[in-house]
Amino acid sequence: MRVAFFDRDGTIIEDYPDHEWTGINHPEFIDDSINTLKEVIEKGYKIIIITNQYIINEGYITIGQYHDINNQFKSELTRQGIELLDVFYCPHGKDEGCTCIKPNIGMIKQAIHKYPEINLEESFMIGDSAVDVELAINMGIKSFGIGVGSNYKKENIYQLNTIKDLIPYI
Ligand SMILES: [Mg+2]
Ligand SMILES: [Zn+2]
């Protein structure tokens, strides 16, 4: 099984400074993200979301608020005909030393444990932060950084300006 591991905030929906998340009640989809997800699925990938949510344990949002926004996120995708395979999130604060906060590989390990048929060589990670690209490097998989900058000039790491630039690569 080929999997496209997607970051959520700043990649599919808008991201905000941590303190602004406190007042956010609805996800705001970024231009072209829905069409891109559709095309990724048409190319034979399953979609798994891998999202750092340290704003939970750091007190900016409640766990209930996280689930509320994520449920709205998934409902809108379903309405658009997009089924996610799964969503993995790390609720831990940056100082907790957990193994799941990106760029640690814990969430991808959880995904492989739950879906042993994942073929990592045919999979990739895409996100808008350095931690997304670093996670892919730590995991040894292909990655696409959106507006991350060119600090990562390595084989298997691609720089994109917007999410829809992904399509020619896959
Ligand atoms: Mg992000
Ligand atoms: Zn964690």
Side-chain angles (χ1 to χ4, degrees):
M1 178 167 70
R2 303 176 344 146
V3 171
F5 294 99
F6 270 79
D7 172 49
R8 194 192 72 176
D9 303 341
T11 300
I12 301 175
I13 59 172
E14 295 290 348
D15 199 2
Y16 309 94
D18 297 343
H19 67 277
E20 282 185 29
W21 269 107
T22 308
I24 299 297
N25 298 310
H26 304 290
E28 189 84 34
F29 283 80
I30 292 173
D31 285 350
D32 297 320
S33 64
I34 288 188
N35 285 338
T36 301
L37 288 170
K38 283 182 184 167
E39 293 200 56
V40 169
I41 289 169
E42 278 168 18
K43 302 245 181 188
Y45 292 87
K46 300 286 186 195
I47 310 275
I48 293 180
I49 307 295
I50 300 279
T51 177
N52 279 358
Q53 293 293 327
Y54 60 81
I55 53 175
I56 298 170
N57 279 14
E58 292 187 7
Y60 295 99
I61 64 169
T62 64
I63 187 80
Q65 205 173 348
Y66 164 74
H67 285 298
D68 182 41
I69 286 179
N70 205 56
N71 286 337
Q72 293 180 58
F73 169 72
K74 287 191 290 187
S75 305
E76 176 58 18
L77 292 178
T78 300
R79 206 178 66 78
Q80 299 275 355
I82 297 166
E83 288 301 332
L84 303 176
L85 181 61
D86 219 322
V87 177
F88 294 89
Y89 70 100
C90 163
H92 306 112
K94 292 193 284 292
D95 295 337
E96 288 185 60
C98 74
T99 56
C100 44
I101 193 169
K102 296 180 286 188
N104 296 321
I105 61 175
M107 288 190 278
I108 288 188
K109 280 251 173 99
Q110 289 172 38
I112 294 167
H113 188 254
K114 191 166 173 184
Y115 306 100
E117 65 273 36
I118 292 175
N119 180 344
L120 283 181
E121 284 185 11
E122 294 189 0
S123 301
F124 64 84
M125 172 80 208
I126 177 168
D128 71 316
S129 296
V131 293
D132 299 311
V133 172
E134 287 164 8
L135 164 63
I137 293 170
N138 292 340
M139 203 65 222
I141 62 174
K142 189 195 292 184
S143 72
F144 298 91
I146 305 167
V148 170
S150 51
N151 286 337
Y152 303 97
K153 288 216 166 109
K154 285 189 179 180
E155 202 185 340
N156 251 1
I157 302 171
Y158 302 88
Q159 309 296 331
L160 309 179
N161 290 320
T162 71
I163 190 168
K164 70 174 192 294
D165 298 336
L166 172 67
I167 298 308
Y169 286 97
I170 62 170

